[in-house]
Amino acid sequence: MGINIGVCEMEAKNAVCRNDKNDFVKVIVDDPSQFADAAEIDEFVSLEDAKDIFPDFEEFIKRNRINEESDAIYIEKVKKEEDLEKLRPKIQKKYTGWILLDRLDDSKKERAIGLSKPDDRLTRWDLLDFDQMNDACARCPLSWDKGRGCIGAFGPNNSLLPQIAEKHDCRIIASALKSSEEQRKFTPDDAKELLKEVEILKVALPEEGKMYVRRYSGPLERLEALANVSVKEGCGFLFF
């Protein structure tokens, strides 16, 4: 398991992803019936009913390319229209738990978000595909990792760089492991101190040995890039 570094992009007004990450699209709530008009619903036919309708059930599964381990036949997965027509009389419906927020007015939308847990919320950013995210990161001024984004690797948990940093009184880098465990957020002012620490360690590494230069020059380069963006964009950073 390793330690990563990243900027707090939501604190930066120039972050390309910021608007999308603040735009909630759907959330899960415990009682979706209170938002019935906006509740996402699954339509399905039980396996028992489907097997009664299609005696050659294996052939039905095969031609519709349905996973054999499915717990029911979900209507959206049925590809053959003639099969769909036979299933319609036995269709059942159930709430998925998801609420589609674009179907709610502002007050109900805020209420639904408030009733959901942070991990049960999807934003417009979450709905982007890999290529779209890469394109956004490549255009973002916070993308300190050579256009790949605002998150990068610090190193493994057993990295000796924090120990070397502690020897040279570089408190931020020395605290990397503890800070990642505590989920501590550093400020842009801390980033200025981090830049000083990077310069100190650039000089110190050759004194520690060539192996340490080869091993830790990369992390120092990434820390420097991260700190520069943190200072320039006025956003914090963290180890995680």
Side-chain angles (χ1 to χ4, degrees), residues 23-41:
D23 187 3
F24 293 104
V25 176
K26 55 196 289 191
V27 299
I28 291 178
V29 299
D30 290 336
D31 179 17
S33 64
Q34 60 189 303
F35 302 101
D37 292 341
E40 188 177 74
I41 293 174

PDB file of all heavy atoms in Angstrom, residues 23-41:
ATOM      1  N   ASP A  23     -22.138  19.369  -8.919  1.00  0.00           N
ATOM      2  CA  ASP A  23     -23.446  19.175  -9.547  1.00  0.00           C
ATOM      3  C   ASP A  23     -23.912  17.735  -9.301  1.00  0.00           C
ATOM      4  O   ASP A  23     -23.558  16.823 -10.039  1.00  0.00           O
ATOM      5  CB  ASP A  23     -23.339  19.474 -11.046  1.00  0.00           C
ATOM      6  CG  ASP A  23     -24.694  19.450 -11.738  1.00  0.00           C
ATOM      7  OD1 ASP A  23     -25.716  19.257 -11.045  1.00  0.00           O
ATOM      8  OD2 ASP A  23     -24.737  19.601 -12.975  1.00  0.00           O
ATOM      9  N   PHE A  24     -24.729  17.536  -8.266  1.00  0.00           N
ATOM     10  CA  PHE A  24     -25.227  16.202  -7.949  1.00  0.00           C
ATOM     11  C   PHE A  24     -26.308  15.785  -8.943  1.00  0.00           C
ATOM     12  O   PHE A  24     -27.222  16.561  -9.240  1.00  0.00           O
ATOM     13  CB  PHE A  24     -25.782  16.152  -6.522  1.00  0.00           C
ATOM     14  CG  PHE A  24     -24.721  16.333  -5.468  1.00  0.00           C
ATOM     15  CD1 PHE A  24     -24.590  17.543  -4.799  1.00  0.00           C
ATOM     16  CD2 PHE A  24     -23.852  15.303  -5.169  1.00  0.00           C
ATOM     17  CE1 PHE A  24     -23.611  17.710  -3.833  1.00  0.00           C
ATOM     18  CE2 PHE A  24     -22.860  15.476  -4.206  1.00  0.00           C
ATOM     19  CZ  PHE A  24     -22.740  16.671  -3.536  1.00  0.00           C
ATOM     20  N   VAL A  25     -26.207  14.557  -9.428  1.00  0.00           N
ATOM     21  CA  VAL A  25     -27.138  14.046 -10.430  1.00  0.00           C
ATOM     22  C   VAL A  25     -28.132  13.065  -9.816  1.00  0.00           C
ATOM     23  O   VAL A  25     -29.327  13.109 -10.107  1.00  0.00           O
ATOM     24  CB  VAL A  25     -26.367  13.347 -11.573  1.00  0.00           C
ATOM     25  CG1 VAL A  25     -27.324  12.725 -12.572  1.00  0.00           C
ATOM     26  CG2 VAL A  25     -25.435  14.340 -12.267  1.00  0.00           C
ATOM     27  N   LYS A  26     -27.650  12.186  -8.953  1.00  0.00           N
ATOM     28  CA  LYS A  26     -28.529  11.208  -8.317  1.00  0.00           C
ATOM     29  C   LYS A  26     -27.972  10.817  -6.958  1.00  0.00           C
ATOM     30  O   LYS A  26     -26.754  10.857  -6.752  1.00  0.00           O
ATOM     31  CB  LYS A  26     -28.726   9.970  -9.213  1.00  0.00           C
ATOM     32  CG  LYS A  26     -27.451   9.301  -9.641  1.00  0.00           C
ATOM     33  CD  LYS A  26     -27.669   8.338 -10.831  1.00  0.00           C
ATOM     34  CE  LYS A  26     -28.410   7.100 -10.454  1.00  0.00           C
ATOM     35  NZ  LYS A  26     -28.388   6.076 -11.521  1.00  0.00           N
ATOM     36  N   VAL A  27     -28.867  10.467  -6.046  1.00  0.00           N
ATOM     37  CA  VAL A  27     -28.468  10.077  -4.696  1.00  0.00           C
ATOM     38  C   VAL A  27     -29.313   8.890  -4.252  1.00  0.00           C
ATOM     39  O   VAL A  27     -30.402   8.653  -4.781  1.00  0.00           O
ATOM     40  CB  VAL A  27     -28.645  11.237  -3.684  1.00  0.00           C
ATOM     41  CG1 VAL A  27     -27.778  12.427  -4.056  1.00  0.00           C
ATOM     42  CG2 VAL A  27     -30.117  11.640  -3.564  1.00  0.00           C
ATOM     43  N   ILE A  28     -28.802   8.149  -3.281  1.00  0.00           N
ATOM     44  CA  ILE A  28     -29.555   7.047  -2.682  1.00  0.00           C
ATOM     45  C   ILE A  28     -30.126   7.517  -1.351  1.00  0.00           C
ATOM     46  O   ILE A  28     -29.419   8.107  -0.531  1.00  0.00           O
ATOM     47  CB  ILE A  28     -28.659   5.813  -2.446  1.00  0.00           C
ATOM     48  CG1 ILE A  28     -28.255   5.183  -3.785  1.00  0.00           C
ATOM     49  CG2 ILE A  28     -29.380   4.772  -1.593  1.00  0.00           C
ATOM     50  CD1 ILE A  28     -27.324   3.998  -3.640  1.00  0.00           C
ATOM     51  N   VAL A  29     -31.422   7.253  -1.128  1.00  0.00           N
ATOM     52  CA  VAL A  29     -32.059   7.546   0.161  1.00  0.00           C
ATOM     53  C   VAL A  29     -32.716   6.272   0.686  1.00  0.00           C
ATOM     54  O   VAL A  29     -33.018   5.348  -0.079  1.00  0.00           O
ATOM     55  CB  VAL A  29     -33.112   8.670   0.037  1.00  0.00           C
ATOM     56  CG1 VAL A  29     -32.464   9.963  -0.434  1.00  0.00           C
ATOM     57  CG2 VAL A  29     -34.233   8.262  -0.908  1.00  0.00           C
ATOM     58  N   ASP A  30     -32.927   6.229   1.998  1.00  0.00           N
ATOM     59  CA  ASP A  30     -33.496   5.023   2.611  1.00  0.00           C
ATOM     60  C   ASP A  30     -34.930   4.781   2.194  1.00  0.00           C
ATOM     61  O   ASP A  30     -35.363   3.633   2.037  1.00  0.00           O
ATOM     62  CB  ASP A  30     -33.427   5.125   4.145  1.00  0.00           C
ATOM     63  CG  ASP A  30     -31.998   5.026   4.662  1.00  0.00           C
ATOM     64  OD1 ASP A  30     -31.147   4.434   3.948  1.00  0.00           O
ATOM     65  OD2 ASP A  30     -31.718   5.541   5.764  1.00  0.00           O
ATOM     66  N   ASP A  31     -35.698   5.856   2.016  1.00  0.00           N
ATOM     67  CA  ASP A  31     -37.116   5.721   1.646  1.00  0.00           C
ATOM     68  C   ASP A  31     -37.385   6.475   0.347  1.00  0.00           C
ATOM     69  O   ASP A  31     -37.813   7.633   0.366  1.00  0.00           O
ATOM     70  CB  ASP A  31     -38.005   6.261   2.775  1.00  0.00           C
ATOM     71  CG  ASP A  31     -39.487   6.157   2.431  1.00  0.00           C
ATOM     72  OD1 ASP A  31     -39.838   5.399   1.500  1.00  0.00           O
ATOM     73  OD2 ASP A  31     -40.297   6.839   3.097  1.00  0.00           O
ATOM     74  N   PRO A  32     -37.141   5.830  -0.788  1.00  0.00           N
ATOM     75  CA  PRO A  32     -37.330   6.525  -2.072  1.00  0.00           C
ATOM     76  C   PRO A  32     -38.782   6.836  -2.393  1.00  0.00           C
ATOM     77  O   PRO A  32     -39.055   7.684  -3.246  1.00  0.00           O
ATOM     78  CB  PRO A  32     -36.748   5.537  -3.086  1.00  0.00           C
ATOM     79  CG  PRO A  32     -36.801   4.210  -2.420  1.00  0.00           C
ATOM     80  CD  PRO A  32     -36.616   4.460  -0.961  1.00  0.00           C
ATOM     81  N   SER A  33     -39.726   6.201  -1.704  1.00  0.00           N
ATOM     82  CA  SER A  33     -41.139   6.427  -2.019  1.00  0.00           C
ATOM     83  C   SER A  33     -41.560   7.878  -1.777  1.00  0.00           C
ATOM     84  O   SER A  33     -42.508   8.361  -2.407  1.00  0.00           O
ATOM     85  CB  SER A  33     -42.026   5.494  -1.188  1.00  0.00           C
ATOM     86  OG  SER A  33     -41.912   5.765   0.199  1.00  0.00           O
ATOM     87  N   GLN A  34     -40.842   8.577  -0.883  1.00  0.00           N
ATOM     88  CA  GLN A  34     -41.203   9.979  -0.617  1.00  0.00           C
ATOM     89  C   GLN A  34     -40.819  10.900  -1.779  1.00  0.00           C
ATOM     90  O   GLN A  34     -41.211  12.062  -1.807  1.00  0.00           O
ATOM     91  CB  GLN A  34     -40.546  10.453   0.673  1.00  0.00           C
ATOM     92  CG  GLN A  34     -39.034  10.390   0.676  1.00  0.00           C
ATOM     93  CD  GLN A  34     -38.447  10.671   2.045  1.00  0.00           C
ATOM     94  OE1 GLN A  34     -38.710  11.727   2.630  1.00  0.00           O
ATOM     95  NE2 GLN A  34     -37.650   9.755   2.565  1.00  0.00           N
ATOM     96  N   PHE A  35     -40.049  10.365  -2.711  1.00  0.00           N
ATOM     97  CA  PHE A  35     -39.700  11.110  -3.932  1.00  0.00           C
ATOM     98  C   PHE A  35     -40.133  10.287  -5.147  1.00  0.00           C
ATOM     99  O   PHE A  35     -39.398  10.143  -6.121  1.00  0.00           O
ATOM    100  CB  PHE A  35     -38.195  11.359  -3.993  1.00  0.00           C
ATOM    101  CG  PHE A  35     -37.643  12.103  -2.810  1.00  0.00           C
ATOM    102  CD1 PHE A  35     -36.976  11.428  -1.791  1.00  0.00           C
ATOM    103  CD2 PHE A  35     -37.785  13.479  -2.704  1.00  0.00           C
ATOM    104  CE1 PHE A  35     -36.457  12.112  -0.707  1.00  0.00           C
ATOM    105  CE2 PHE A  35     -37.271  14.171  -1.619  1.00  0.00           C
ATOM    106  CZ  PHE A  35     -36.609  13.487  -0.603  1.00  0.00           C
ATOM    107  N   ALA A  36     -41.334   9.751  -5.065  1.00  0.00           N
ATOM    108  CA  ALA A  36     -41.790   8.738  -6.032  1.00  0.00           C
ATOM    109  C   ALA A  36     -41.628   9.149  -7.491  1.00  0.00           C
ATOM    110  O   ALA A  36     -41.203   8.347  -8.332  1.00  0.00           O
ATOM    111  CB  ALA A  36     -43.244   8.382  -5.744  1.00  0.00           C
ATOM    112  N   ASP A  37     -41.949  10.396  -7.798  1.00  0.00           N
ATOM    113  CA  ASP A  37     -41.888  10.834  -9.194  1.00  0.00           C
ATOM    114  C   ASP A  37     -40.457  10.884  -9.727  1.00  0.00           C
ATOM    115  O   ASP A  37     -40.243  10.876 -10.945  1.00  0.00           O
ATOM    116  CB  ASP A  37     -42.523  12.220  -9.354  1.00  0.00           C
ATOM    117  CG  ASP A  37     -44.032  12.185  -9.124  1.00  0.00           C
ATOM    118  OD1 ASP A  37     -44.604  11.081  -9.199  1.00  0.00           O
ATOM    119  OD2 ASP A  37     -44.612  13.250  -8.854  1.00  0.00           O
ATOM    120  N   ALA A  38     -39.495  10.967  -8.810  1.00  0.00           N
ATOM    121  CA  ALA A  38     -38.097  11.058  -9.221  1.00  0.00           C
ATOM    122  C   ALA A  38     -37.317   9.784  -8.894  1.00  0.00           C
ATOM    123  O   ALA A  38     -36.118   9.711  -9.136  1.00  0.00           O
ATOM    124  CB  ALA A  38     -37.430  12.249  -8.540  1.00  0.00           C
ATOM    125  N   ALA A  39     -38.004   8.800  -8.336  1.00  0.00           N
ATOM    126  CA  ALA A  39     -37.323   7.566  -7.928  1.00  0.00           C
ATOM    127  C   ALA A  39     -37.021   6.683  -9.132  1.00  0.00           C
ATOM    128  O   ALA A  39     -37.865   6.489 -10.006  1.00  0.00           O
ATOM    129  CB  ALA A  39     -38.176   6.806  -6.919  1.00  0.00           C
ATOM    130  N   GLU A  40     -35.811   6.159  -9.155  1.00  0.00           N
ATOM    131  CA  GLU A  40     -35.411   5.224 -10.215  1.00  0.00           C
ATOM    132  C   GLU A  40     -36.020   3.854  -9.905  1.00  0.00           C
ATOM    133  O   GLU A  40     -35.958   3.378  -8.770  1.00  0.00           O
ATOM    134  CB  GLU A  40     -33.889   5.130 -10.267  1.00  0.00           C
ATOM    135  CG  GLU A  40     -33.354   4.343 -11.440  1.00  0.00           C
ATOM    136  CD  GLU A  40     -31.830   4.368 -11.465  1.00  0.00           C
ATOM    137  OE1 GLU A  40     -31.223   3.671 -10.630  1.00  0.00           O
ATOM    138  OE2 GLU A  40     -31.258   5.087 -12.300  1.00  0.00           O
ATOM    139  N   ILE A  41     -36.592   3.235 -10.920  1.00  0.00           N
ATOM    140  CA  ILE A  41     -37.301   1.964 -10.728  1.00  0.00           C
ATOM    141  C   ILE A  41     -36.729   0.899 -11.654  1.00  0.00           C
ATOM    142  O   ILE A  41     -36.469   1.156 -12.835  1.00  0.00           O
ATOM    143  CB  ILE A  41     -38.804   2.144 -11.007  1.00  0.00           C
ATOM    144  CG1 ILE A  41     -39.427   3.061  -9.950  1.00  0.00           C
ATOM    145  CG2 ILE A  41     -39.525   0.797 -11.019  1.00  0.00           C
ATOM    146  CD1 ILE A  41     -40.875   3.412 -10.212  1.00  0.00           C
TER     147      ILE A  41
END
